[in-house]
Amino acid sequence: MLPRAAWSLLMRTGGLGTRGTHSPGGTAGSQRRRSPYVDCYAQRSYPMPDEPFCTELSEEQRALKEKEKGSWAQLSQAEKVALYRLQFHETFAEMNHRSNQWKTVMGCVFFFIGFTALVIWWQRVYVFPEKVVTLTDERKAQQLQRLLDMKSNPIQGLAAHWDYEKKEWKK
């Protein structure tokens, strides 16, 4: 809500221009015509826009606005809806209507997760080298036996947990 209100204020004041030398009180630059849909925000937290949704009216719409000044009992339901549409872009029911955008977002997320998994699989098959010889189970067993034979770190290390007489781990 705050960014929209700030944007509305920014558009009403004429932008972030620099101070002009010819007009000391205002901003430099041309007075361009703003879009008629600049300050109309249809959201629940900001229900009353600064300007009506339609600012440039056709002949029928002008006639309807003149008829609005009279008794509302004489207006038909279609004319009341048309007047509402001149002032506001959406109804509260349309504002609260859930969109299906989450399905698109989740589809994109799952697509990229699947694509990433395929890239990782391809790298493991074709890019990464085979396992190093020292990481095979047979080689690991040989390295462990070598450490035990050397009696490395006999106080707190592997040698402390190995029973050299029975040739098995202590229980």
Side-chain angles (χ1 to χ4, degrees):
M1 180 173 133
L2 184 60
R4 288 185 184 251
W7 180 254
S8 175
L9 177 67
L10 180 72
M11 293 309 290
R12 271 188 272 131
T13 57
L16 293 173
T18 58
R19 288 200 166 272
T21 55
H22 299 292
S23 58
T27 58
S30 64
Q31 294 294 331
R32 59 187 164 90
R33 184 165 174 85
R34 293 181 300 167
S35 168
Y37 309 113
V38 170
D39 292 330
C40 184
Y41 298 114
Q43 57 184 2
R44 288 184 303 177
S45 59
Y46 191 64
M48 300 300 287
D50 295 335
E51 293 180 4
F53 177 66
C54 293
T55 54
E56 298 170 1
L57 303 176
S58 66
E59 288 298 322
E60 305 97 31
Q61 292 170 339
R62 277 193 218 112
L64 189 58
K65 287 295 265 185
E66 287 298 320
K67 194 174 179 183
E68 174 189 24
K69 294 176 184 175
S71 173
W72 276 67
Q74 296 174 353
L75 294 174
S76 68
Q77 185 66 26
E79 291 172 333
K80 291 177 185 177
V81 169
L83 283 170
Y84 183 86
R85 291 293 181 183
L86 289 177
Q87 187 69 25
F88 303 105
H89 177 63
E90 294 178 315
T91 63
F92 275 99
E94 291 169 347
M95 281 187 266
N96 295 334
H97 182 67
R98 294 183 182 215
S99 70
N100 290 329
Q101 186 178 8
W102 68 272
K103 294 177 184 177
T104 304
V105 171
M106 291 305 293
C108 291
V109 165
F110 289 135
F111 172 79
F112 284 112
I113 288 173
F115 181 73
T116 304
L118 283 174
V119 168
I120 291 172
W121 170 79
W122 179 80
Q123 286 179 343
R124 287 190 181 184
V125 171
Y126 296 106
V127 177
F128 295 143
E130 296 295 323
K131 277 189 174 180
V132 185
V133 176
T134 56
L135 294 179
T136 61
D137 291 335
E138 178 185 328
R139 198 63 173 246
K140 285 181 185 178
Q142 289 175 353
Q143 289 172 357
L144 178 63
Q145 187 61 45
R146 182 171 181 258
L147 286 173
L148 292 174
D149 291 343
M150 290 175 24
K151 295 185 180 178
S152 64
N153 202 358
I155 297 173
Q156 292 181 347
L158 289 172
H161 302 292
W162 181 256
D163 188 357
Y164 286 94
E165 295 171 0
K166 297 180 183 176
K167 301 278 188 193
E168 62 182 26
W169 294 105
K170 292 180 182 176
K171 295 177 183 164

